[in-house]
Each structure stands twice: as structure tokens, then as C-alpha cells.
Amino acid sequence: SAGGSGSGSGSSCSHSSSLQVLLEALRLSEREISRTELLWKVLIYNLTAADTDLLFKEYDFQPPSPDELSKLSSSSLLHKRQTTMKTRQAMKAALKSKNKKGPVKRYLNNELVVVGKKEKYLKEEKESAEDRAKTSVELYVVGIGRGGRHAVKIAREEKKKGPRSHK
């Protein structure tokens, strides 16, 4: 029974030491968080170097270097830009998928049929494209020329630039 109690006390000792390690890690984490909060105060209120030193010494911290402040500022700006870009991309993708609905599907006699985008009803073709091609003939009108009367007219004089009065 004495050996059993000895191993039990060793076990409780290891529990207390691991608990102490966890508490120490928690204290360090809290100190790091409060230091970061002080760094943010310095950035937000744009404190001078002397005021920054006083503030950090008041909370028993080492005053920050200018490099440390610039790193925090640039990392937060970078994070803001990244989240803005992600939001914009998500909104653009949502808009794209909204605009790109695809074919409209409806039921006709308990069968799913594809209808045109702006059509309410199914339009069935009377003859297929191949049947139409067999009976179709192309006619060329001779004498009108390229574009005919709808051709672009060449200006005789250069157009004036700038505002025009309509008199």
C-alpha cells in the first residue's frame, strides 16, 4: 500500500506541475495580448516616442521599437486589403451566378422540358433545321455592290471637333 500511495503522490505532482505550466503560458499569453493592445493605442492615438515609453513603462513593458510599430501597422493594412478583396470576389461571383441562370426548365405532361430564357411556353419547331436546309435556296442580288445603299458614306470634308450649335 505504501508503494501505491507513493506513485499516487508522484502523479499528483506531475498534474500540479503541468497545471503550473499551463497557468504560466496563460499569463504570458495575457501579457502578450495587453502589449499588443498598448501597441494599438500608440498607433491609434499617434503617440510620440516619449509618451509611448511612459505608457509601456507604466504597464511594466519594454518600449516598442519603431520597426515593431510599422510591422503591426502594415500587417493590419494588408489584412484589411485581403478581406476586402475576398469580399469583392465573393460578391462578383454571386452576381455572375445570378446573371448566368442558364436554360429555364418547366414541366409539360409530367416531363421536364427546356424553354427559352424569356419564354413562358414551349415552342415546338414544325420542321427540323435539316429539312429547312434541304428546301432552302440562297439568292444573290446582282448590281447593288458591297453594302448597297446602306454602305458607309465617306465624308467629303473633315468633321469639326468640339461643341456644335444646332441653328
Side-chain angles (χ1 to χ4, degrees):
S1 99
S5 69
S7 66
S9 67
S11 160
S12 68
C13 182
S14 69
H15 284 304
S16 66
S17 66
S18 63
L19 185 62
Q20 287 174 348
V21 169
L22 283 173
L23 286 173
E24 186 61 30
L26 185 62
R27 278 190 215 111
L28 288 174
S29 167
E30 286 175 349
R31 279 192 57 80
E32 191 62 34
I33 290 170
S34 57
R35 179 174 172 76
T36 306
E37 287 175 353
L38 288 177
L39 286 169
W40 276 112
K41 277 186 183 178
V42 169
L43 288 175
I44 291 169
Y45 296 114
N46 203 15
L47 298 178
T48 62
D51 291 339
T52 303
D53 287 349
L54 283 174
L55 180 68
F56 274 76
K57 285 178 183 173
E58 182 182 328
Y59 287 95
D60 196 30
F61 284 116
Q62 184 83 22
S65 65
D67 191 41
E68 188 178 7
L69 288 170
S70 66
K71 276 184 186 178
L72 179 67
S73 175
S74 64
S75 69
S76 64
L77 183 62
L78 180 66
H79 178 71
K80 176 69 175 164
R81 285 182 181 156
Q82 287 174 346
T83 53
T84 304
M85 289 299 288
K86 285 179 186 175
T87 307
R88 284 182 185 165
Q89 286 175 344
M91 290 172 67
K92 193 182 282 188
L95 184 65
K96 215 176 211 182
S97 67
K98 182 184 174 194
N99 290 342
K100 187 178 159 187
K101 283 188 178 174
V104 179
K105 295 175 182 170
R106 298 188 188 280
Y107 284 94
L108 176 68
N109 299 331
N110 292 328
E111 289 182 36
L112 193 63
V113 292
V114 177
V115 183
K117 257 190 176 179
K118 294 186 179 181
E119 301 292 327
K120 274 190 175 180
Y121 308 105
L122 177 66
K123 289 185 179 177
E124 293 180 10
E125 293 187 27
K126 295 175 185 168
E127 59 179 337
S128 67
E130 290 132 9
D131 292 337
R132 256 186 271 139
K134 288 177 190 173
T135 58
S136 299
V137 178
E138 285 187 33
L139 298 175
Y140 292 97
V141 179
V142 180
I144 293 181
R146 273 186 81 210
R149 63 183 189 178
H150 299 290
V152 178
K153 308 240 184 324
I154 300 169
R156 291 185 187 154
E157 355 177 310
E158 239 181 85
K159 286 188 178 180
K160 293 181 182 176
K161 293 180 182 176
R164 295 182 208 126
S165 62
H166 300 286
K167 290 184 180 178

